[in-house]
Amino acid sequence: MRGKMVKLRLLLVVVLVVVSVPGAHAQCYLLNANSKCEVCWKTVYGDFTDKIGVTTMDECPSTIVETWDKPLPQEMVALQEYMVDYSLSLDLTKIEIVKQGDNHVPHANIHSCIAAKGACTPFVSDSPGLATHTEALVGSIDKTGRATFTSAVKLTVEQYTIIAHIRFYVKDNNHPEAPAIKYDVAIGASRIVTRPTAAVSADSWITTGIVV
């Protein structure tokens, strides 16, 4: 009886831990490629000699919103170019952007990762057989806190996790003398790219003897 009570208590502890951990929802597209929420990678630097920083990942706060404005179509054909629009919206009453050179957004593009090869993050390199990147863009955030980007996506036959990656920097209000905090934001989508359907001409039908 005592053994059964111990096992029951252990089971209750495990259940409480699983329920209490804010894990699944926080990782958005990393758990469900078509999830609507964004993932934020936040990198804080100790000082200006720190080139690596400490990076943490979580669901983005409500002050940071990324959206697919013109998403990729559900049905995609290999080697056909598709235009995709995506945007970043920030609450400028709570976030102070730090420009990098002349740009509020020093990097924005689309990453298309082969789904079977693992998680697709902003840090997966542009590598044949693993992932492809569109051209990196830069941009400005308007007075409403919004920046919009357009990229052209062309892929080969495969199943992909596709993310829109946007990077920007904000002032560290807790340590005003410290380097700016870097944010890498991404939203995802799952797509299967299929082979194009071959068009059969009348001459082809005649050659095969179907048309007489």
Side-chain angles (χ1 to χ4, degrees):
M1 181 69 178
R2 181 179 176 81
K4 290 183 178 179
M5 289 298 295
V6 170
K7 289 181 180 179
L8 179 59
R9 287 175 181 173
L10 287 173
L11 178 60
L12 288 173
V13 169
V14 170
V15 170
L16 287 172
V17 169
V18 171
V19 171
S20 300
V21 173
H25 184 61
Q27 295 181 13
C28 304
Y29 80 85
L30 293 173
L31 291 179
N32 175 2
N34 290 308
S35 175
K36 300 293 185 182
C37 64
E38 317 87 344
V39 180
C40 277
W41 285 264
K42 178 182 178 181
T43 303
V44 179
Y45 300 93
D47 54 45
F48 286 95
T49 65
D50 183 359
K51 303 302 180 183
I52 300 175
V54 177
T55 301
T56 57
M57 180 197 74
D58 206 338
E59 180 180 346
C60 292
S62 60
T63 53
I64 301 173
V65 177
E66 186 180 1
T67 55
W68 295 108
D69 298 329
K70 180 185 176 184
L72 292 164
Q74 291 294 328
E75 297 182 1
M76 297 178 64
V77 176
L79 302 181
Q80 182 171 328
E81 187 173 84
Y82 299 93
M83 305 307 294
V84 55
D85 298 339
Y86 48 106
S87 64
L88 174 72
S89 296
L90 304 176
D91 183 348
L92 297 182
T93 65
K94 298 180 180 178
I95 294 176
E96 184 176 344
I97 295 293
V98 177
K99 279 188 173 183
Q100 301 299 298
D102 295 327
N103 303 296
H104 296 117
V105 177
H107 180 97
N109 67 347
I110 301 294
H111 299 208
S112 301
C113 306
I114 296 176
K117 298 297 179 68
C120 191
T121 75
F123 313 106
V124 174
S125 61
D126 190 348
S127 305
L130 178 62
T132 62
H133 295 185
T134 61
E135 178 184 359
L137 307 173
V138 298
S140 297
I141 294 173
D142 64 22
K143 293 181 179 179
T144 68
R146 184 178 175 86
T148 301
F149 302 91
T150 300
S151 294
V153 177
K154 183 189 294 186
L155 299 169
T156 57
V157 174
E158 191 58 80
Q159 181 172 355
Y160 294 89
T161 298
I162 300 171
I163 65 171
H165 171 216
I166 299 176
R167 175 177 294 163
F168 61 95
Y169 291 76
V170 304
K171 185 177 180 179
D172 187 342
N173 292 321
N174 294 324
H175 304 91
E177 302 304 319
I181 296 172
K182 180 176 72 172
Y183 274 94
D184 288 282
V185 184
I187 50 173
S190 177
R191 294 291 187 273
I192 296 175
V193 179
T194 60
R195 299 182 187 280
T197 302
V200 180
S201 67
D203 290 341
S204 297
W205 285 104
I206 292 171
T207 301
T208 59
I210 301 299
V211 178
V212 294

